[in-house]
Amino acid sequence: MKSVLSCKDVSVRFGAFSALDRVTVDFMEGVTTALIGPNGAGKTTLLNTLSGLQKVSDGSLSLDSIDITNSPAHFRARSGLARSFQIVTVFPQMTVLENVRLARQRHHMRFAVPWRIVGAYRQLHEEVQAAL
């Protein structure tokens, strides 16, 4: 199994407070990994660090064997490393199907050109139906 995302001896400090202390973890291709721990354990800090929202104090990060330790969040996102935030209700006035379709349609919008979604609508609808 291939490691697609690696975190080696990563530490994050906020002044004297150490939020992460020499964390090492490999995320393997095709494997779902869960971060479990109590409040304050550093789960969100680790996710923010991996996605580029939080700078690393020490250690290194790599994506597909490319060092991304100092790469900005937008570079990581364009390289395929994305992060979602926990939101209980995205659009409460929309149905579940409409919310899922809206979330998935970004995949079909090449170079952020919204009108191209029309040509892919049938495929989008089939993907959403399959997911639900």
Side-chain angles (χ1 to χ4, degrees):
M1 235 179 278
K2 177 185 172 196
S3 173
V4 291
L5 180 61
S6 291
C7 175
K8 301 284 186 213
D9 294 322
V10 168
S11 296
V12 173
R13 288 183 291 282
F14 300 102
F17 176 72
S18 183
L20 297 177
D21 186 26
R22 297 180 11 220
V23 173
T24 297
V25 61
D26 286 314
F27 298 91
M28 308 310 278
E29 184 174 26
V31 175
T32 301
T33 304
L35 296 175
I36 302 171
N39 289 345
K43 301 178 302 288
T44 301
T45 301
L46 179 60
L47 291 175
N48 287 342
T49 301
L50 293 170
S51 64
L53 298 178
Q54 175 62 52
K55 290 188 184 245
V56 172
S57 299
D58 290 305
S60 64
L61 303 167
S62 63
L63 178 63
D64 290 327
S65 301
I66 297 169
D67 188 323
I68 59 166
T69 307
N70 297 310
S71 298
H74 69 271
F75 173 84
R76 296 175 196 203
R78 286 187 186 132
S79 299
L81 178 59
R83 171 214 170 135
S84 63
F85 295 87
Q86 181 178 338
I87 300 172
V88 177
T89 305
V90 180
F91 295 105
Q93 71 278 16
M94 293 169 55
T95 67
V96 171
L97 184 132
E98 291 168 334
N99 272 279
V100 173
R101 184 175 59 215
L102 182 63
R104 182 64 181 154
Q105 82 182 29
R106 178 64 183 103
H107 173 77
H108 292 276
M109 294 171 59
R110 300 290 184 242
F111 307 107
V113 180
W115 57 86
R116 290 193 181 163
I117 189 77
V118 174
Y121 185 78
R122 184 177 311 253
Q123 181 183 354
L124 170 65
H125 184 73
E126 290 170 3
E127 290 173 10
V128 171
Q129 290 287 29
L132 292 174

